[in-house]
DNA sequence: TAGTGGTCTAGACCACTGG
DNA sequence: CAGTGGTCTAGACCACTAC
């Protein structure tokens, strides 16, 4: 197993950071020094240093040098898709209702539309086997091209639904997580009882222009669902 | 405002991806072709292409070429710190109790220690002004160097507490979010009532070796707290 | 002024892919 | 085999920083 030059230098410096040889705030040796010390070209040294920067260990200050970052970052990566549980298990979706109507105040606000703009609403119950796990509502400004045929809705993911027009690359998202308890309506739909803890996950899809393509909430019975985040630097 | 060469090419290609000129699965022109077409060196072209790759638009297949990725990714970035609300407001921590004792079964499992290993437990209530917002418990395997003086505990963040020994760079984290309802104990501590919705956020700190430095849960009254995630490619 | 990182160039060799 | 991306080199010029 032969190691690449730039990976080698990257590992050496990372090692020294982990061991505390370089502390947050410290300056690394200059590109020129490293290039002499490790007998490699400046370009190769720069590749190593840019790797360190990518991984969140350092930053560079032009005209000064490279510095070790403060490692305190509270960022986590959450992998969320409304039809999958945290262990990758897929939920079955069953359509409850699809309507086209004027928006409520809440929906107007979330979709950033006016009261005279039609809204498509899709309601589903998600199952694991025969057990109802979550209730899901999505709202989209009504527009031509949105599929309203049952089998299309059933298997389409939210981004696909919301993005019949725009390229998927141009879509941005926001996520919101909160806790609540089941009211009568929700308890009925999920065949559960009033007062049960509910984890509500909201998703919004929109373009750079702030044009909102869709907004929805999924209300999970907490006993069947939780979210997990992985640590991420930087 | 003068634009850098490699940024220029990066933007041009990104544009074409957004507009659908290049679709997922398509192959980009080769480095050589781009280098001819845009009249810049291969190295500069490579810099642009590596930017695209970093941002999640493309991947490269050695010996073949660069390809457009499927944009479907369900990853969000969550910024979470137990003492801050989602709008950046800081909570005040008030110490309730600090104990050193043998672990419960649950704590044994989370900290991956045996029943004869002492555990430090720190309990706090978090306030906004005079309003109790959350109840917070942290567990750490007892070891010399862990501060047990009140003022140290009060102002230290969890990673700092857990990492008196290890370098902060070496610490990994996991996050867990679930919903529950307030039991009598929690309701009493938060001056609230039984049955209120609670958002519980668990955090675990550990090393590469799987040695667990600390585990804790923060139980938020849902009316005062929610989590927000930002979309991330990749 | 001397030193630093940031950009850009031309050119070489390699391993891999596909026909 | 020709074409592709991956690695590495030497060298040039610039803008910025610090003294």
């Amino acid at each position: 197993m032969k190691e690449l030059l730039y990976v080698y230098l990257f590992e050496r410096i990372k090692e020294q950071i982990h061991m505390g040889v370089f502390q947050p705030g410290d300056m690394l040796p200059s590109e020129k020094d490293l290039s002499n010390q490790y007998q490699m070209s400046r370009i190769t040294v720069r590749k190593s240093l840019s790797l360190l920067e990518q991984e969140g260990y350092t930053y560079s200050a032009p005209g000064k040098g490279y510095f070790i970052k403060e490692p305190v970052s509270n960022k986590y990566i959450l992998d969320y898709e409304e039809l999958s549980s945290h262990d990758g298990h897929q939920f079955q979706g069953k359509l409850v209702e699809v309507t086209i109507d004027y928006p409520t105040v809440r929906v107007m606000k979330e979709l950033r539309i006016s009261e005279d703009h039609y809204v498509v609403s899709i309601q589903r119950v998600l199952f694991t086997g025969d057990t109802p796990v979550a209730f899901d509502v999505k709202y989209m400004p009504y527009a031509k091209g949105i599929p309203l045929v049952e089998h299309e809705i059933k298997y389409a993911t939210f981004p696909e639904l919301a993005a019949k027009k725009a390229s998927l690359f141009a879509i941005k998202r926001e996520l919101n997580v909160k806790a609540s308890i089941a009211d009568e309506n929700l308890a009925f739909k999920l065949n559960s009882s009033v007062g049960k803890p509910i984890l509500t996950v909201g998703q919004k899809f929109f373009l750079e222009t702030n044009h909102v393509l869709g907004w929805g909430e999924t209300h999970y019975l907490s006993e069947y669902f939780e979210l997990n985040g992985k640590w991420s630097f930087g």
Side-chain angles (χ1 to χ4, degrees), chain A:
Chain A
M1 181 61 196
K2 171 187 163 260
E3 193 160 30
L4 272 8
L5 266 178
Y6 75 87
V7 175
Y8 175 79
L9 176 55
F10 165 70
E11 297 285 357
R12 290 299 76 69
I13 300 179
K14 196 170 78 170
E15 238 171 55
Q16 295 179 63
I17 295 176
H18 275 214
M19 297 190 315
V21 179
F22 296 125
Q23 304 262 348
D26 287 0
M27 197 172 83
L28 288 179
S30 72
E31 293 178 353
K32 193 162 147 287
D33 288 352
L34 288 170
S35 144
N36 290 330
Q37 187 180 340
Y38 287 90
Q39 288 297 302
M40 50 181 85
S41 78
R42 187 184 159 213
I43 291 188
T44 307
V45 169
R46 281 179 63 76
K47 177 121 187 172
S48 307
L49 292 172
S50 80
L51 252 185
L52 282 168
E53 194 160 351
Q54 263 183 59
E55 304 231 332
Y57 287 101
T58 60
Y59 66 95
S60 67
K64 296 203 260 187
Y66 288 86
F67 296 87
I68 311 287
K69 267 207 220 175
E70 292 293 333
V72 285
S73 160
N74 303 302
K75 294 200 170 65
Y76 291 88
I77 292 179
L78 246 181
D79 206 338
Y80 173 75
E81 207 271 300
E82 71 262 28
L83 289 179
S84 311
S85 70
H86 54 286
D87 53 16
H89 174 78
Q90 281 279 325
F91 296 130
Q92 305 286 323
K94 285 194 191 166
L95 215 52
V96 175
E97 198 179 8
V98 177
T99 63
I100 301 181
D101 209 343
Y102 293 117
T104 62
V105 175
R106 175 74 196 278
V107 171
M108 269 172 60
K109 188 180 147 252
E110 294 290 350
L111 294 184
R112 289 203 204 101
I113 54 172
S114 56
E115 56 192 347
D116 57 358
H117 197 305
Y118 276 121
V119 165
V120 180
S121 127
I122 299 174
Q123 303 183 22
R124 290 191 288 188
V125 174
L126 310 183
F127 287 81
T128 336
D130 290 334
T131 317
V133 170
F135 177 67
D136 182 67
V137 203
K138 303 185 195 313
Y139 302 94
M140 287 168 286
Y142 177 70
K144 279 168 194 165
I146 290 185
L148 291 171
V149 190
E150 175 163 359
H151 73 273
E152 283 192 58
I153 292 173
K154 221 161 149 184
Y155 300 112
T157 66
F158 199 7
E160 283 167 5
L161 280 175
K164 280 287 162 180
K165 298 177 90 171
S167 152
L168 278 174
F169 281 107
I171 299 181
K172 301 193 163 192
R173 310 187 188 191
E174 270 174 17
L175 183 108
N176 175 276
V177 183
K178 53 193 176 193
S180 59
I181 54 177
D183 60 16
E184 275 191 26
N185 182 17
L186 194 56
F188 175 73
K189 286 194 169 104
L190 294 177
N191 196 20
S192 184
S193 38
V194 173
K196 285 267 186 171
I198 300 291
L199 192 69
T200 298
V201 180
Q203 268 185 301
K204 191 186 283 194
F205 296 79
F206 55 99
L207 301 178
E208 299 253 11
T209 58
N210 275 341
H211 175 75
V212 179
L213 298 168
W215 170 70
E217 284 190 325
T218 312
H219 305 276
Y220 297 92
L221 283 172
S222 75
E223 56 213 285
Y224 299 114
F225 191 78
E226 55 189 53
L227 288 168
N228 288 289
K230 289 192 197 87
W231 162 246
S232 105
F233 251 148

